Amino acid sequence: MDVNTQCPRCAAKRNSIVRDGFFYRADDAKFVQRLKCKACGKKFSTATSKPTYRQKRRRINHTIHLTLSFGMSQRKIARLTRVNVKTVAARLVWQAQLSRKKNQHFVKQYIERYGPIATVQFDDLVTFEHTKYKPLSVPVAVVAGTRLPIAFGVASIPAFGHLAKKARERYGKRPDNSRAMRQSLFEQLVTVLPPTVHFETDGHKHYEELIKRYFPAATHTVYTSDRSAVVGQGELKKNTFDPLFTINHFLATLRDDINRLARRTWCTTKDPMRLSDHIDLMIDVFCDYLEQRWKRGKGVCPHKSDVVHA
Ligand SMILES: [Zn+2]
């Protein structure tokens, strides 16, 4: 029994909880300790407080988490793990909830270990829900050099360019939530970044406005974007040197790792919330990968790169 075990009903502490037999859980072939609260008589088990409580297919969780972040479609994962596609969809939501907390913690840990973040790169990735006539904007902020994602958001935007007129005809006026979303991102960033941080963005006017408002002491460099290369899903540029390489490389990784963000795929986002969940999941796996690299002394040393950019 865990020292932190407490009664789910009356929150009585460890010393008023006694063992009360076992039960066998066929799902992962484990014996689970039953418990009883002496104070209120509530019976429960060590499984009650676990995030996997009441799941019927525990063993697939890790596989689903990884494959969702390795560009596999939900239907393929359902076939691989031999569960219903609705189970996979449900686990995506479930896992995202855990990943979101883990990701926030990871950023905090990073700052504790390597000091305050010196340079941040910002950009928007554009994708769509169900049809190209309903685009979505995904603003993302990463640490320059180390590719550590700090914050992102998903917002609906009206169709633009040659699709704009037809989109209005078919689906009516589409709200533009991207400004509100970028603003809420900055509200998050204020809690994480030091006031003297350096920003690198493309020529988007709204970034400039927000940086001035939320980080009056910060510096800001604007880069104009170049033509895209064929590799890198349109995010990597043709030029030999791209000053916004970190963010563009991360956006390209997103497109490759999250199957619904890939170009020319028949997997599309149906619900912007699920896209947000999926990105959280992918960032979780990606941060694990970054940490492994740093531990082996590979990749960009986070500390050094921050010093270079400062
Ligand atoms: Zn109790």
Side-chain angles (χ1 to χ4, degrees):
M1 210 193 314
D2 202 315
V3 271
N4 295 320
T5 307
Q6 53 166 264
C7 172
R9 189 195 277 158
C10 72
K13 290 279 180 288
R14 169 77 182 78
N15 50 13
S16 52
I17 289 162
V18 288
R19 288 165 203 270
D20 187 34
F22 283 94
F23 72 89
Y24 178 72
R25 188 165 66 193
D27 168 36
D28 55 354
K30 268 185 186 144
F31 286 94
V32 181
Q33 175 77 57
R34 281 191 201 276
L35 303 165
K36 191 180 152 191
C37 173
K38 279 196 287 182
C40 72
K42 172 78 182 167
K43 289 188 174 188
F44 55 105
S45 78
T46 51
T48 311
S49 56
K50 297 275 159 62
T52 51
Y53 179 52
R54 288 203 161 157
Q55 281 188 5
K56 298 290 177 216
R57 293 273 189 281
R58 274 157 238 269
R59 294 191 208 221
I60 60 170
N61 286 344
H62 187 60
T63 310
I64 289 184
H65 189 184
L66 285 182
T67 45
L68 277 173
S69 319
F70 290 168
M72 219 165 162
S73 73
Q74 295 186 30
R75 275 168 209 286
K76 289 264 168 67
I77 298 168
R79 281 166 65 189
L80 175 80
T81 53
R82 302 192 174 200
V83 297
N84 194 294
V85 68
K86 283 179 273 184
T87 310
V88 179
R91 287 301 151 82
L92 170 83
V93 180
W94 173 80
Q95 179 63 54
Q97 212 183 316
L98 300 176
S99 292
R100 207 166 297 133
K101 277 185 203 150
K102 202 177 145 197
N103 296 342
Q104 285 166 0
H105 182 67
F106 191 83
V107 174
K108 272 183 201 145
Q109 248 186 347
Y110 175 90
I111 295 167
E112 272 171 30
R113 217 181 288 168
Y114 302 110
I117 293 164
T119 309
V120 172
Q121 291 192 351
F122 237 107
D123 206 359
D124 294 12
L125 175 135
V126 175
T127 179
F128 56 89
E129 56 177 300
H130 146 72
T131 156
K132 289 242 172 190
Y133 293 122
K134 296 179 179 173
L136 294 168
S137 169
V138 184
V140 185
V142 298
V143 176
T146 70
R147 286 188 291 161
L148 174 76
I150 318 169
F152 77 91
V154 176
S156 71
I157 50 170
F160 48 88
H162 66 285
L163 298 173
K165 197 169 159 246
K166 198 126 194 214
R168 274 196 303 276
E169 281 166 20
R170 274 202 199 174
Y171 299 104
K173 199 166 177 275
R174 188 169 163 80
D176 186 351
N177 298 329
S178 63
R179 286 181 72 85
M181 180 50 75
R182 271 187 230 108
Q183 191 172 325
S184 80
L185 274 195
F186 269 83
E187 271 156 24
Q188 268 185 63
L189 289 178
V190 169
T191 61
V192 185
L193 300 176
T196 53
V197 67
H198 179 64
F199 285 98
E200 294 176 338
T201 67
D202 60 6
H204 206 298
K205 287 266 161 57
H206 194 213
Y207 287 134
E208 207 171 319
E209 206 183 300
L210 287 169
I211 291 168
K212 273 192 189 136
R213 195 190 319 162
Y214 287 93
F215 294 92
T219 47
H220 182 200
T221 316
V222 177
Y223 298 100
T224 48
S225 99
D226 282 303
R227 277 190 49 211
S228 307
V230 179
V231 292
Q233 305 262 9
E235 309 298 347
L236 295 185
K237 310 300 172 195
K238 263 198 166 144
N239 250 6
T240 43
F241 180 74
D242 177 10
L244 295 175
F245 180 77
T246 312
I247 180 69
N248 284 324
H249 192 278
F250 181 70
L251 296 183
T253 313
L254 273 182
R255 285 205 190 272
D256 193 46
D257 282 357
I258 299 177
N259 148 296
R260 62 173 91 200
L261 289 179
R263 295 182 191 270
R264 304 205 175 200
T265 170
W266 66 353
C267 302
T268 59
T269 292
K270 313 298 185 298
D271 178 352
M273 283 299 291
R274 297 293 86 82
L275 170 63
S276 176
D277 284 347
H278 206 153
I279 295 175
D280 264 315
L281 218 109
M282 177 272 175
I283 288 178
D284 181 0
V285 174
F286 185 73
C287 287
D288 277 349
Y289 159 75
L290 285 182
E291 204 174 20
Q292 275 172 35
R293 279 175 70 87
W294 298 339
K295 270 185 190 158
R296 290 201 308 266
K298 285 195 177 171
V300 188
C301 167
H303 201 70
K304 258 190 206 160
S305 84
D306 261 10
V307 171
V308 169
H309 284 274

